[in-house]
Amino acid sequence: MNTIAIIDYGMSNLSSVVKAVKYVAPNDNVIVTANSDEINDADKIIFPGQGAAKKCMQSIYDQNLDQAIKKSSKEKPFLGICMGMQVLMDYSDENKGTNCLGIIQGKVKKFKKNINTRIKIPHMGWNKIIIKKDHPVWHKIENESYFYFVHSYFTNPVEKSSVIGETNYGHIFSSVIAKDNIVAIQGHPEKSSSIGLQFLKNFIRN
Amino acid sequence: MTVTKRIIPCLDVDNGRVVKGVKFVDIKDAGNPVEVAKRYNDQGADEITFLDITASSNNRKTILSVVEEVASQVFIPLTVGGGISSIKDIRALLNSGADKITINTAAIKNPQLIADASDAVGNQCIVVAIDAKRKINKFNELSWEIYTHGGRNPTGIDAIQWAIDMEQKGAGELLVTSMDKDGTKQGFDLELMKAINDKVDIPIIASGGVGNLEDLYNGIEIGKADAVLAASIFHFGTYTVNEAKEYLVNRGINMRVTYD
């Protein structure tokens, strides 16, 4: 039995993530925690998040979680979801500029309104993920499967070879990154029906 | 390629049970919210909306346990509306497993609630419901007025201006219901949808009046809605969600089609 720690830094409604992880890992020990020791002791880490970058970073620092997040992202399977993906980067343009954790090199940018396509912001709804690279998280998931997204900013990693999934919203952006033991996804697997559950299962079983 | 248009079945929940003539053929307990939600998920619904119509306010616990149960077994976005009037209500629903909440009357009583709520939980969770009725003035100009309490109480507020105000306050989406069309099966009020869409940049969910699949098409194509909400055409088994999607795909609309 593995212990899967879902990091709770007070910035999001974790209930959906917790329910989905428990559903796909009924025999594992799923904990929700803001405690560095528990994060260090866990076998796998899930790092969700919603809201604005600055507040997210602030609550990570307020709860002294930055070191535990950095350490665990180097040492064990680590899954960032949505804002949990974005704050892994160096820097976000959100809130007039926010320094992030710097675990993955690159920046977070805002979708631009485009007169021709008139995209709405946030990018909210179901969109395809184009698989760019083989990875265990894609087990039993077809190319161009639909995932549920809700976000206004997107990541732009320096190392293009770490991009394992892309999505098109006005332009192509990196929607899934894998680097060493870290996987980060912009969409919400916990809300993406059976395909999203498969993605979570792949991360947990891997 | 971009984000798909969405189909959202809407369920009325009274005292923890789905009401309003649900009669599925292959479903054990048509009044059980979990069974109905699962059924719609299997049909490819993009989201599900629960409207809590329980009259007594001391029954809020019931809707929380319904949400809790559904969210433990159905993994698509869940929106809950009905009687939400405070950030405390919103947090309780989100903690139970709702992903978004809709607010109507409370926003009109206190527009600042939308700003506060959006600040507290993020605008992606906050859907403002706009119930609007047509109005023609003495110069024969068309406008729409906001109503509350299921269309009974006029507010004097202009719907288009209200939509703009709500986006500015921090609404993440607008659920626009035509009180003229609701229940008529004559199709959405397309002019209303389009008039609002012209003025705001957040997604719009069209509601009220769907009688057939062409109505859904028109809501998206002419009304420019990002999502369409319907109750009776799905509840009565007239169409499944997948049938609706196939129809829309054949007419050139970008939809998520699933084969679960």
Side-chain angles (χ1 to χ4, degrees):
Chain A
M1 190 175 76
N2 279 321
T3 295
I4 303 164
I6 300 173
I7 302 181
D8 177 12
Y9 49 106
M11 262 316 282
S12 67
N13 159 34
L14 295 180
S15 143
S16 293
V17 174
V18 175
K19 285 184 167 71
V21 172
K22 284 187 174 166
Y23 188 85
V24 297
N27 301 318
D28 288 320
N29 177 31
V30 180
I31 60 168
V32 178
T33 180
N35 179 303
S36 295
D37 293 338
E38 284 184 343
I39 293 169
N40 289 331
D41 288 345
D43 301 298
K44 291 184 176 176
I45 306 295
I46 295 179
F47 183 49
Q50 281 173 351
K54 187 149 276 172
K55 265 194 185 169
C56 274
M57 286 309 301
Q58 194 56 53
S59 32
I60 288 168
Y61 288 128
D62 285 350
Q63 299 182 63
N64 292 314
L65 285 170
D66 52 314
Q67 289 311 318
I69 292 167
K70 283 182 184 166
K71 187 166 184 284
S72 61
S73 71
K74 285 198 182 76
E75 293 173 353
K76 49 194 138 201
F78 186 100
L79 174 64
I81 299 174
C82 194
M83 184 51 78
M85 174 195 211
Q86 295 184 5
V87 293
L88 296 178
M89 310 306 284
D90 292 318
Y91 175 87
S92 170
D93 283 341
E94 194 169 6
N95 310 120
K96 294 174 185 149
T98 303
N99 286 319
C100 298
L101 293 163
I103 294 169
I104 297 175
Q105 273 189 300
K107 286 186 177 175
V108 182
K109 299 174 169 190
K110 188 165 192 175
F111 285 114
K112 283 203 179 70
K113 288 186 187 174
N114 179 323
I115 308 287
N116 299 318
T117 53
R118 193 171 170 224
I119 63 165
K120 294 196 173 182
I121 298 165
H123 171 216
M124 181 186 283
W126 297 82
N127 206 337
K128 287 177 179 172
I129 294 184
I130 304 148
I131 297 180
K132 298 305 287 181
K133 234 183 176 176
D134 241 5
H135 191 277
V137 290
W138 297 133
H139 176 64
K140 286 188 177 172
I141 295 176
E142 282 180 35
N143 186 28
E144 303 201 355
S145 286
Y146 283 105
F147 281 74
Y148 187 79
F149 288 83
V150 185
H151 61 124
S152 302
Y153 290 77
F154 62 92
T155 59
N156 186 18
V158 171
E159 217 177 296
K160 297 300 170 204
S161 60
S162 67
V163 177
I164 65 165
E166 286 180 341
T167 296
N168 188 348
Y169 191 60
H171 58 81
I172 302 266
F173 68 93
S174 310
S175 50
V176 192
I177 295 173
K179 189 174 159 41
D180 304 326
N181 42 306
I182 302 169
V183 175
I185 179 165
Q186 181 62 67
H188 289 272
E190 76 279 11
K191 283 284 133 187
S192 299
S193 199
S194 51
I195 287 165
L197 295 177
Q198 182 68 47
F199 183 95
L200 289 174
K201 205 188 278 177
N202 293 342
F203 170 76
I204 287 162
R205 294 278 162 77
N206 181 27
Chain B
M1 206 168 47
T2 181
V3 70
T4 64
K5 301 295 178 182
R6 289 169 278 153
I7 293 186
I8 310 175
C10 178
L11 304 164
D12 284 357
V13 177
D14 189 10
N15 275 314
R17 302 280 296 170
V18 176
V19 294
K20 210 171 179 179
V22 180
K23 46 170 190 184
F24 285 113
V25 193
D26 305 322
I27 201 161
K28 280 186 205 123
D29 179 2
N32 178 340
V34 178
E35 295 263 330
V36 179
K38 269 190 180 168
R39 171 84 178 189
Y40 282 135
N41 174 56
D42 293 346
Q43 287 183 9
D46 295 307
E47 291 179 27
I48 293 175
T49 291
F50 287 114
L51 193 58
D52 183 21
I53 58 164
T54 311
S56 63
S57 56
N58 57 5
N59 264 329
R60 291 218 64 86
K61 274 189 190 142
T62 315
I63 190 72
L64 294 180
S65 63
V66 166
V67 171
E68 178 82 45
E69 223 188 315
V70 173
S72 302
Q73 298 185 55
V74 179
F75 299 97
I76 54 175
L78 300 177
T79 304
V80 182
I84 298 162
S85 61
S86 68
I87 295 204
K88 201 174 144 218
D89 292 342
I90 295 170
R91 282 200 195 278
L93 282 164
L94 296 180
N95 286 334
S96 300
D99 299 288
K100 311 181 199 180
I101 52 88
T102 71
I103 300 181
N104 177 358
T105 309
I108 288 164
K109 282 187 186 156
N110 172 22
Q112 184 60 27
L113 174 64
I114 299 304
D116 295 345
S118 167
D119 198 42
V121 297
N123 73 343
Q124 78 286 348
C125 300
I126 309 298
V127 184
V128 171
I130 296 179
D131 292 351
K133 217 180 239 184
R134 283 173 173 247
K135 197 166 130 181
I136 290 176
N137 70 10
K138 59 183 175 185
F139 306 109
N140 216 19
E141 291 164 337
L142 172 64
S143 66
W144 290 267
E145 183 179 356
I146 303 266
Y147 278 67
T148 61
H149 300 88
R152 287 194 300 276
N153 300 349
T155 62
I157 299 169
D158 177 73
I160 311 298
Q161 187 55 47
W162 181 247
I164 296 166
D165 293 348
M166 288 296 100
E167 175 180 36
Q168 210 195 350
K169 286 273 184 216
E173 266 185 308
L174 300 174
L175 168 59
V176 183
T177 305
S178 158
M179 302 317 290
D180 302 289
K181 298 283 189 171
D182 201 27
T184 65
K185 299 198 170 198
Q186 290 171 356
F188 298 118
D189 184 338
L190 299 173
E191 286 171 285
L192 168 64
M193 303 306 159
K194 194 165 179 317
I196 291 182
N197 183 70
D198 283 346
K199 297 288 184 189
V200 303
D201 283 324
I202 49 178
I204 290 167
I205 306 162
S207 153
V210 176
N212 59 44
L213 300 183
E214 185 165 23
D215 293 337
L216 300 178
Y217 174 80
N218 289 339
I220 294 166
E221 199 54 34
I222 301 169
K224 303 290 174 199
D226 299 280
V228 284
L229 182 130
S232 57
I233 62 160
F234 298 129
H235 297 339
F236 290 111
T238 321
Y239 308 99
T240 65
V241 177
N242 259 333
E243 281 167 0
K245 285 189 164 182
E246 255 172 58
Y247 171 87
L248 293 169
V249 166
N250 285 334
R251 296 205 61 183
I253 305 285
N254 180 22
M255 305 290 312
R256 158 185 165 259
V257 182
T258 59
Y259 304 95
D260 280 1

